[in-house]
Amino acid sequence: MARRALITGITGQDGSYLAEHLLAEGYEVWGLVRGQSNPRVSRVRTLLRDVRLVRGDLLDQGSLISAMEKVQPDEVYNLGAISFVPMSWEQAELTAEVTGMGVLRMLEAIRVCSGVTASRGASAGQIRFYQASSSEMFGQVRETPQTERTPFHPRSPYGVAKAYGHFLTQNYRESYGMFAVSGILFNHESPRRGAEFVTRKVSLGVARIKLGLADELRLGNLEARRDWGFAGDYVRAMHMMLRRDSPEDYVIGTGRTHSVRELVVAAFEAAGLPWERYVVCDESLHRPAEVDLLCADPKKARTQLGWEPEVTFEQLIAMMVESDIRLLSAGEDPHQHSSWP
Ligand code: NAP
Ligand code: GDD
């Protein structure tokens, strides 16, 4: 029998790559979709024809229990979240509910459906749970590079909500013996990245300028540093964590850090354009509290999981710029549904 996986956040960047990876590994893959008429569901149906869909929402406990009962998964990947950091200041309560409390609702759905209680722990063939934790939890970093033991100091309501989900996942593992793990993933990008995130905003901006559709690109803080990798590499690590004998948390990143300015230089270079002529610094795009520097120490993942990223920063940026030039040349505009500048 094929193993069965349930993915929340199937309409997002990681959901699509993870579904493709698990299908290739022979899994039966189910995706949780929300809303009465969600326009992103048609993208999933086109891109991921073999994924089955089940309705549910991280805000609705009953719907998650029903989805769990219907799918009867072996593995659950909780990727659903409000994931754009600036939105978490504008809608902090909603972020807490979806990104934070949503983790509690998922863990409870698994606990209830598995008949696990304080006196009756999880059994051998139990459902395995992956939580999408984030390097945003490190925030104002206490040390560099960041490891599984680095303390958290989140700098946004999003980071705080992720820290809640992270500790709760650990707590359900310790309280009930559940196979529940968190991957602390650093920034990962791809041609499928949402248009509001900086790498995609830059690759789309460069493509527009290259094709004569725009003459400037407005950005915020160019000095912030991130550890950027390729999403396709990172979903392999999620799967590896759930296939281990024992549940443990892992940092996933490349171990290399670049500034937003370096990202901009690489992207304009990939299109043969001088960046200084086009980039405009816009104070209104700065954040109320910034995460200045993120850099992973992925040693534990390398030694215990055998995980290595395959795509370099330079390859990733070139891949995104080339993809967006092709997309815009074909008349598509991935930014059309975004309300973010
Ligand atoms: P993404 O593209 O923004 O996708 C977010 C997903 O969450 C979408 O499928 C969205 O579905 C779903 N969602 C939002 N609200 C929901 C709700 N109330 N109920 C159910 N689903 C809901 O994010 P991503 O980049 O793929 O990231 C996946 C996960 O990893 C997220 O939890 C993110 O916070 C975390 N993470 C990402 C990174 C990164 O660099 N990408 C790094 C660390 C951690 P709709 O289409 O219905 O809105
Ligand atoms: N989005 C955006 N837009 N960011 C900008 C801009 C701009 O115009 N100009 C500069 N930046 C800077 C931000 O201030 C931040 O320091 C950096 O670019 C990266 O921003 P994002 O791409 O929006 O990502 P993030 O680091 O805030 O969050 C992403 O990574 C986290 C993991 O560290 C998201 O995917 C989160 O969901 C994820 O948890």
Side-chain angles (χ1 to χ4, degrees):
M1 280 262 288
R3 273 203 291 270
R4 216 169 295 139
L6 172 63
I7 302 174
T8 74
I10 190 79
T11 56
Q13 169 189 258
D14 291 6
S16 69
Y17 282 105
L18 179 62
E20 283 171 352
H21 177 68
L22 294 177
L23 286 168
E25 293 283 316
Y27 277 67
E28 179 180 316
V29 179
W30 289 74
L32 187 90
V33 290
R34 68 182 175 126
Q36 189 173 324
S37 176
N38 183 341
R40 296 173 83 194
V41 171
S42 63
R43 192 181 82 137
V44 173
R45 288 199 200 283
T46 314
L47 191 66
L48 306 164
R49 286 180 195 286
D50 295 328
V51 170
R52 302 176 193 204
L53 302 180
V54 58
R55 270 185 290 279
D57 195 307
L58 289 169
L59 296 172
D60 183 336
Q61 179 73 78
S63 74
L64 301 177
I65 294 174
S66 300
M68 213 66 73
E69 281 174 347
K70 179 169 180 177
V71 175
Q72 301 274 321
D74 300 295
E75 296 172 13
V76 172
Y77 296 85
N78 185 36
L79 310 185
I82 287 176
S83 74
F84 188 46
V85 172
M87 179 161 168
S88 76
W89 279 286
E90 289 190 8
Q91 299 187 21
E93 188 178 337
L94 185 65
T95 302
E97 282 291 343
V98 178
T99 305
M101 290 290 286
V103 185
L104 173 65
R105 297 188 187 102
M106 286 300 290
L107 286 163
E108 277 294 287
I110 293 174
R111 190 186 67 74
V112 167
C113 291
S114 314
V116 171
T117 64
S119 57
R120 189 167 168 270
S123 60
Q126 62 173 295
I127 299 172
R128 296 181 171 211
F129 178 77
Y130 173 87
Q131 167 57 19
S133 284
S134 164
S135 52
E136 268 285 310
M137 300 185 304
F138 296 123
Q140 194 158 300
V141 296
R142 305 277 176 85
E143 60 182 2
T144 296
Q146 294 86 46
T147 74
E148 292 78 8
R149 290 172 306 286
T150 303
F152 298 154
H153 182 152
R155 295 274 282 169
S156 62
Y158 167 83
V160 174
K162 280 288 179 188
Y164 171 78
H166 182 85
F167 284 124
L168 198 74
T169 302
Q170 206 171 64
N171 179 258
Y172 269 54
R173 180 165 81 215
E174 293 171 3
S175 304
Y176 300 112
M178 285 169 62
F179 196 111
V181 305
S182 292
I184 307 174
L185 270 54
F186 284 63
N187 299 50
H188 46 279
E189 322 291 316
S190 73
R192 298 180 196 166
R193 186 58 146 152
E196 60 275 28
F197 299 95
V198 75
T199 52
R200 189 76 197 281
K201 182 173 171 182
V202 169
S203 65
L204 279 166
V206 168
R208 280 197 199 97
I209 292 167
K210 182 77 181 172
L211 297 174
L213 303 171
D215 54 15
E216 67 170 32
L217 173 60
R218 302 190 85 79
L219 292 171
N221 181 8
L222 297 186
E223 309 315 326
R225 300 184 75 86
R226 292 290 182 274
D227 180 334
W228 279 293
F230 172 54
D233 284 338
Y234 286 45
V235 299
R236 284 191 286 111
M238 298 176 187
H239 182 221
M240 286 170 165
M241 284 179 222
L242 287 200
R243 295 321 310 153
R244 292 273 300 167
D245 290 338
S246 59
E248 284 185 48
D249 303 332
Y250 293 88
V251 156
I252 301 295
T254 69
R256 290 177 66 205
T257 182
H258 294 274
S259 65
V260 175
R261 187 184 298 274
E262 287 163 359
L263 153 72
V264 166
V265 171
F268 277 84
E269 254 175 32
L273 294 167
W275 72 276
E276 302 92 329
R277 192 182 301 167
Y278 300 106
V279 172
V280 177
C281 290
D282 184 340
E283 284 281 325
S284 73
L285 295 173
H286 284 235
R287 298 177 178 186
E290 179 63 280
V291 172
D292 295 321
L293 164 66
L294 291 175
C295 183
D297 177 353
K299 191 160 73 212
K300 184 180 174 192
R302 195 166 51 234
T303 52
Q304 293 191 7
L305 301 177
W307 179 83
E308 291 279 357
E310 287 173 4
V311 177
T312 66
F313 171 77
E314 292 75 16
Q315 289 168 333
L316 170 67
I317 302 309
M319 177 204 305
M320 293 178 70
V321 169
E322 284 159 21
S323 167
D324 279 334
I325 291 174
R326 275 198 306 275
L327 211 63
L328 294 187
S329 302
E332 290 183 42
D333 179 6
H335 212 153
Q336 62 187 322
H337 301 297
S338 178
S339 54
W340 298 97

